Amino acid sequence: MTAHRQPALFATDPELAALVSAEETLQAETLRLIPSENYVSAAVLEASGTVLQNKYSEGYPGRRYYEGQQNIDRVEALAVERAKGLFGVDHANVQPYSGSPANLAVYLAFAKPGDTVMGMALPMGGHLTHGWGVSATGSWFRGVQYGVSADTGLIDYDAVRALALAERPKIIFCGGTALPRTIDFEAFASIAEEAGSVLVADVAHIAGLIAGGAHPSPAGHVDVISTTTHKTLRGPRGAMLMCREEHAKAIDKAVFPGLQGGPHNQTTAGIAVALHEAAQPSFVSYAHAVVANAKALAAALLERGFDLVSGGTDNHLILIDLTGKDVPGKVAAKALDRAGIVVNYNTVPFDPRKPFDPSGIRIGTPSLTSRGLTVAHMPVVADWISRAVDAAAKADEPALAAIRSEVADLMTAFPAPGLPL
Ligand code: DSN
C-alpha cells in the first residue's frame, strides 16, 4: 500500500480520504484560473488543521467568556498585530467566518434595517452583500446600486457621486468580484464624505495585491476595510475587518456578540501564518508577478480576438465577453473544465443573458503565479483558452482531451504549494 498523506483519516474513513486525495490530484493537474482561488502554503495548511480546533473562545484576547485561553489569546493577538502592521491600520478583527459574515457585521455596526445602502450592482462586478436584491443585505436594507459605463467598462465616478448625493446612503461599498481595473479609493472617499456615508472597501479580491504593493491601499481613505483571507492573500478561508480606531468598538461588537459566537481558532492561526508570509519580500514579488501575468495574459487573449471587459486589466482578474465568439459563458466554462482549465462563467456588464447562463467567463492569475508560471507562459495559456473555446463551438471532445494532456504536462512541472509532489 502506498503511504497516505492523511494516514489517520485514511484509516478511519477511507471513503472521505479518497475524495481528499482525488481533489489533491485535480488541483495538481489542472490549470486553476478562478481569480478568487489560490493555493495555501504547507505552513498555512498545517496551522489550519491543529488542536486549536478544540477550543471555544467567545470574546476577544483578555476578555473571554471561557477559561483556558493562554495560547488562544496569543494566537489571535499575533494575527491582529500582523494584520495591523501589514495593512497599516489602527484596528483589526480577525474573527469573521468569511466575507459575507464580515460584510453583515459592517451593516450591523453602521445601519438599521430599512436604511439606504449603496454598492456596485452584482452583474456589474459587485458582490451579493453590497445590497443586491437576492441577498439579505438587499432585503433588509434599501440597496441602491452603481455600475460601470457602457462605453468604457469603467466605473463612472461622476455617476457614483450623483447617486450618492441623491440617495445619501448610510454605507457605501467599493470593491467587488469582477473588477479588472484599479479602484480609486480617494475618489470614493471624497464622494462618501460629501454624502455623509460610511465608506467600506471590500478588498477581498485584491488584499494580497495591496499587501504586496501592487494595488493602491484603501488605508487612510476609508472607514472600514473588509476582506477575505483566502484569495490573493493566500491564507485559509476566513475574513478580517480593519478600521480606524474610532470604529473599533462598533466593529468588534457587531462581529461578537452581534453576529457570531466562538471564533474558529484554527483559522485564526492559519491567517496569522498567511499574514507573516505576506510580510516577506517574496510576497511583494508574488503580488507584482500576479499583475504582470494578468496583463500578459490579457494581451495574449486580445491578440487572439477575445473581447475583454474594459479592454484589459490592472490587477489579477480578466473578464472575457464571449458574445463575439458565439459560445455562451457556461458552455465555454464547462468545455474549459474538460480541457483541465478551471474558470467560472460570469455575467458581463449589461449582459443580455441570464446570470445562470451568462455571456462571460472570469479568469485570473493568482493560482498560476503561486505555482511559478511567468509572463513567458501566458501565450501558451491564451492559446489553450482559444483552442478550447473553438473546440466548444464545434463540440470537439478530442481537441479538449488533447489540451487537458498538455495542461497536465505543464502543471506537473510546476508543483503547487501545499500539494503532494
Ligand atoms: N465567491 C467569491 C468570488 O469568487 O469572487 C465572491 O464571494
Side-chain angles (χ1 to χ4, degrees), residues 6-46:
Q6 295 94 12
L9 177 62
F10 188 65
T12 303
D13 189 343
E15 188 180 5
L16 194 282
L19 291 172
V20 174
S21 286
E23 179 61 21
E24 286 174 345
T25 304
L26 189 67
Q27 291 193 13
E29 291 182 351
T30 52
L31 176 63
R32 302 171 72 233
L33 291 181
I34 293 177
S36 47
E37 292 182 349
N38 214 326
Y39 302 95
V40 293
S41 68
V44 168
L45 209 50
E46 283 180 9

Side-chain angles (χ1 to χ4, degrees), residues 34 36 127 177 205 231 362:
I34 293 177
S36 47
H127 189 255
T177 61
H205 265 255
K231 299 185 173 91
R362 189 184 68 149

Side-chain angles (χ1 to χ4, degrees), residues 76-96:
E76 185 169 335
L78 206 51
V80 166
E81 285 312 309
R82 288 175 180 175
K84 284 163 62 177
L86 189 64
F87 289 95
V89 292
D90 296 341
H91 181 75
N93 185 311
V94 297
Q95 294 194 5

Side-chain angles (χ1 to χ4, degrees), residues 174 185 188-189 199-201 218-225 242-244:
C174 57
F185 296 119
F188 271 108
L199 180 61
V200 183
H221 300 298
V222 307
D223 294 289
V224 180
I225 301 171
M242 297 175 277
C243 61
R244 298 184 178 137

Side-chain angles (χ1 to χ4, degrees), residues 11 28 56 65 106 128-129 141 144 151 177 185 187 197 204 239 256 266 276 282-283 325 333 374 402-404 406:
Y56 252 125
Y65 290 80
V106 171
L128 278 166
T129 57
F141 301 91
V144 294
D151 301 334
T177 61
F185 296 119
S197 312
F256 173 84
Q266 73 284 2
H276 173 69
S282 58
F283 198 84
K325 295 278 185 191
T374 68
I403 298 167
R404 187 177 190 100
E406 292 171 35

